[in-house]
Amino acid sequence: MRADYLELLESMVNIDSCSGNVEGIAQLSSLIGQRLKKLGFSFGPVKAKDGSIHYHARRGLGKKVLLLAHLDTVFPNGTAAARKFRIEGELAFGPGVSDCKSGVATIIGALETLSQGRWPDLEINALFNSDEEVSSPGSRQIIEDLAKDAAAVLVVEPAELENITVARKGIGRFELKVSGKAAHSGSNYTHGCNAILEMAHKIIAIQGLSRIENGITLNVGTVSGGIRPNVVPELAMVEIDLRIVKPDQAEPVINGLKRIAADCKDQGTSGRLTGGITRPPMPLNDANYQLYQSIRDVGLKLGMKLGAVESGGGSDANFTGALGIPTIDGLGPIGGGHHSEAEYMNVPSLGRRINLLASFLRILPDIL
């Protein structure tokens, strides 16, 4: 069994599928769609309001469960040819091998395993979206619509060691631009208004909004501005990442960012803030934890000791968790080095996670 799904994973990893690569995403959908249709699933594209294409599979009757994994990666076209799938010892390497193509392979493996016996009394839905790596702007509405009447959502992102993810931080993305006035830095220095200097004051203030003890962090991650050292810069820009653990933390921080944007030390400059919360928090709650406890018990019977972790990263679980739908994440194989040349997947964990997901789906009707 493991060899078959490693072959499927290899085929997927060797196809470029960065967000927006319509052709690559379609190739991946063809690979998995053929297999799902053989199992009796309906399978087809779903077009989002922004024009992006995602793929939905469905079969069965009963309480509804939604499986989520994404087909897109962060790697630009040409990466798959330059860094083809390879295995070294117990690790597999390649672009997207863990995040999240191993999760797609896990879903296919679990459903094919279920087909070898009696299907559980469930309406099984699986959505494979193509824009998760850019915060799911198109697929978010599709995910939320599918999840609204679901009894459980199982997100097959890579696992953090032998764990299940029960909570995730919310994410905000912002851009701050400061406008000043250009001038020659030698002959006309005092006529200029230095946008970079003003931005320096703002960066310090932005970082000061972090409250690490409360799980609130802000990170000014990119800085740009100016054109030459002998020109007083008239423009500066930063990109800001915000992480929060509770929904009510968002508004005070955003208000703080707005105040910083408006409060300029140099009266000849002005600030403009854009952006907002891209993924709401998925807070730890009883519903998620009870779902975790059930899969933990299944794991114990398979010889797996599954811990519960709260992640600082975001995923599509944030959307369904924020709706109050029982959601757990990190059901995919163990991996690491995500979004880098060092990305890897632990090979033995692929078979374990396929068995775990299949076994959990079998008992889900009894616990929902």
Side-chain angles (χ1 to χ4, degrees):
M1 179 188 72
R2 192 184 77 175
D4 181 28
Y5 298 112
L6 280 175
E7 289 174 6
L8 172 62
L9 182 58
E10 179 177 5
S11 297
M12 291 193 293
V13 169
N14 289 339
I15 296 172
D16 283 318
S17 62
C18 61
S19 308
N21 183 339
V22 176
E23 182 180 346
I25 298 294
Q27 285 182 273
L28 293 178
S29 74
S30 180
L31 279 177
I32 63 175
Q34 294 171 21
R35 299 177 76 138
L36 288 168
K37 288 176 182 178
K38 288 180 181 179
L39 302 179
F41 280 82
S42 62
F43 182 84
V46 182
K47 189 174 184 179
K49 290 181 180 179
D50 67 354
S52 58
I53 303 297
H54 316 277
Y55 293 87
H56 176 221
R58 177 188 173 278
R59 85 170 306 280
L61 297 172
K63 290 186 177 180
K64 182 178 180 181
V65 61
L66 175 60
L67 307 175
L68 295 176
H70 60 92
L71 300 172
D72 61 322
T73 73
V74 300
F75 300 102
N77 294 335
T79 308
R83 291 197 288 116
K84 286 186 175 294
F85 179 89
R86 73 185 193 280
I87 294 177
E88 296 179 7
E90 291 194 340
L91 301 181
F93 296 89
V97 66
S98 177
D99 184 17
C100 179
K101 292 179 178 179
S102 66
V104 176
T106 299
I107 290 176
I108 301 302
L111 297 177
E112 290 182 342
T113 300
L114 282 180
S115 73
Q116 296 168 12
R118 181 179 178 275
W119 284 95
D121 295 326
L122 290 170
E123 180 192 315
I124 301 174
N125 290 260
L127 185 73
F128 304 95
N129 61 333
S130 63
D131 61 355
E132 193 274 347
E133 293 293 5
V134 290
S135 298
S136 307
S139 62
R140 176 176 181 172
Q141 188 62 57
I142 298 169
I143 292 167
E144 291 178 340
D145 288 344
L146 284 170
K148 282 177 182 175
D149 57 348
V153 177
L154 310 179
V155 185
V156 197
E157 288 277 359
E160 297 184 21
L161 300 177
E162 202 72 276
N163 294 311
I164 300 296
T165 303
V166 296
R168 286 188 178 276
K169 283 190 173 184
I171 301 175
R173 291 287 163 79
F174 301 87
E175 182 180 89
L176 175 60
K177 290 183 179 179
V178 170
S179 298
K181 182 180 179 182
H184 192 287
S185 63
S187 61
N188 216 18
Y189 180 79
T190 58
H191 290 180
C193 297
N194 192 315
I196 292 178
L197 176 60
E198 178 61 37
M199 184 65 82
H201 293 295
K202 294 187 187 303
I203 289 172
I204 293 171
I206 290 166
Q207 296 289 168
L209 294 176
S210 293
R211 297 292 183 268
I212 296 174
E213 67 278 7
N214 296 326
I216 301 170
T217 57
L218 291 100
N219 183 61
V220 177
T222 68
V223 181
S224 61
I227 55 171
R228 295 180 59 84
N230 61 345
V231 178
V232 176
E234 66 175 343
L235 183 66
M237 184 184 78
V238 298
E239 292 177 299
I240 306 159
D241 177 275
L242 166 65
R243 306 282 164 144
I244 55 176
V245 294
K246 298 177 182 178
D248 60 4
Q249 292 174 330
E251 186 176 359
V253 176
I254 293 173
N255 287 338
L257 289 172
K258 290 177 178 177
R259 286 194 298 271
I260 291 168
D263 179 21
C264 293
K265 307 300 181 185
D266 187 332
Q267 296 305 308
T269 61
S270 62
R272 180 172 179 266
L273 180 75
T274 57
I277 300 297
T278 58
R279 294 190 186 275
M282 171 187 161
L284 180 61
N285 57 37
D286 290 342
N288 294 355
Y289 199 76
Q290 287 173 9
L291 204 57
Y292 155 72
Q293 288 177 313
S294 297
I295 198 168
R296 179 196 62 190
D297 293 343
V298 171
L300 286 172
K301 293 178 181 178
L302 297 173
M304 304 166 65
K305 294 182 178 180
L306 301 171
V309 296
E310 300 180 39
S311 175
S315 82
D316 291 328
N318 289 69
F319 302 134
T320 62
L323 292 175
I325 312 299
T327 301
I328 51 175
D329 196 354
L331 292 166
I334 297 169
H338 305 125
H339 298 188
S340 78
E341 292 186 4
E343 181 174 353
Y344 70 88
M345 181 202 72
N346 176 272
V347 173
S349 71
L350 175 59
R352 293 200 303 270
R353 290 291 172 137
I354 287 173
N355 290 336
L356 176 67
L357 182 56
S359 299
F360 190 49
L361 287 170
R362 282 196 188 100
I363 63 102
L364 259 185
D366 298 327
I367 65 173
L368 291 178

